[in-house]
Amino acid sequence: MGTSGSGGERSFSGDRKAAWEGFLQCQARLMQRLGHELEDAGKIPLSTYDVLAQLAESGGRLRLRDLVDRVVLSQPGLSRKVARLAEEGLVDRLPDPTDGRGVVVRLTRSGRAALRSAAVVHIAGVERLFTDRITDDEARVLAGVFDRLQALPPEPPG
């Protein structure tokens, strides 16, 4: 399952295994807590926040096929989510001018307002649960690691 590390030992063992398991458990707990905080404050769900934030960070619009690479939803799940968000007036679904079969998802004014309102709660939670609990050096190391891991080549089309 793992490959050999620099010392010839299996890379999915010891601290490497503990790092992977810690990452998974921490991420799951953080997302659960952050989701509950948004819910308790009467804001949009975390999955909606994620979609709207990705759109906002990309200038307010993305092709659906590009958005799927940025969120934690499958392509069919994202399509259903975007359809619901369009019904709620948070996004618009537009024909992709470069691909007649494609869809562009655009953030609406209502979507921006919902995102701004939820961001107050979400960012406070991220600060309290994550950024305030790590040092600047740890943040720099984590940012470097995650930047390197995000640079993985894309999956071949299935």
Side-chain angles (χ1 to χ4, degrees), residues 8-30:
E9 67 273 350
R10 301 292 286 179
S11 66
F12 192 67
S13 63
D15 286 343
R16 291 171 186 266
K17 182 175 185 265
W20 174 249
E21 291 170 348
F23 164 75
L24 290 176
Q25 292 170 6
C26 183
Q27 191 267 351
R29 284 189 184 124
L30 285 172

Side-chain angles (χ1 to χ4, degrees), residues 16-153:
R16 291 171 186 266
K17 182 175 185 265
W20 174 249
E21 291 170 348
F23 164 75
L24 290 176
Q25 292 170 6
C26 183
Q27 191 267 351
R29 284 189 184 124
L30 285 172
M31 294 301 102
Q32 185 177 53
R33 292 268 308 266
L34 293 168
H36 285 137
E37 288 182 4
L38 285 171
E39 184 181 317
D40 292 347
K43 305 298 180 187
I44 56 177
L46 186 57
S47 61
T48 297
Y49 183 92
D50 187 24
V51 171
L52 299 183
Q54 294 304 320
L55 289 170
E57 290 175 10
S58 299
R61 63 174 50 215
L62 275 171
R63 291 180 303 180
L64 186 62
R65 69 177 181 214
D66 295 330
L67 183 57
V68 77
D69 293 333
R70 298 172 187 234
V71 297
V72 187
L73 289 170
S74 66
Q75 195 282 326
L78 179 60
S79 292
R80 288 189 299 273
K81 181 73 170 176
V82 166
R84 283 192 305 271
L85 296 179
E87 288 173 10
E88 296 170 15
L90 300 176
V91 301
D92 289 324
R93 291 173 42 96
L94 308 167
D96 185 342
T98 63
D99 177 2
R101 298 171 301 169
V103 172
V104 171
V105 183
R106 182 178 65 194
L107 192 57
T108 64
R109 276 191 183 169
S110 294
R112 284 187 193 283
L115 179 62
R116 273 194 304 275
S117 176
V120 174
V121 173
H122 182 69
I123 292 170
V126 170
E127 288 172 341
R128 187 180 66 264
L129 298 170
F130 184 74
T131 60
D132 290 350
R133 301 173 126 204
I134 62 175
T135 67
D136 289 344
D137 288 340
E138 290 168 331
R140 203 172 357 274
V141 168
L142 287 171
V145 168
F146 293 132
D147 187 51
R148 188 173 67 245
L149 292 175
Q150 288 181 62
L152 292 172

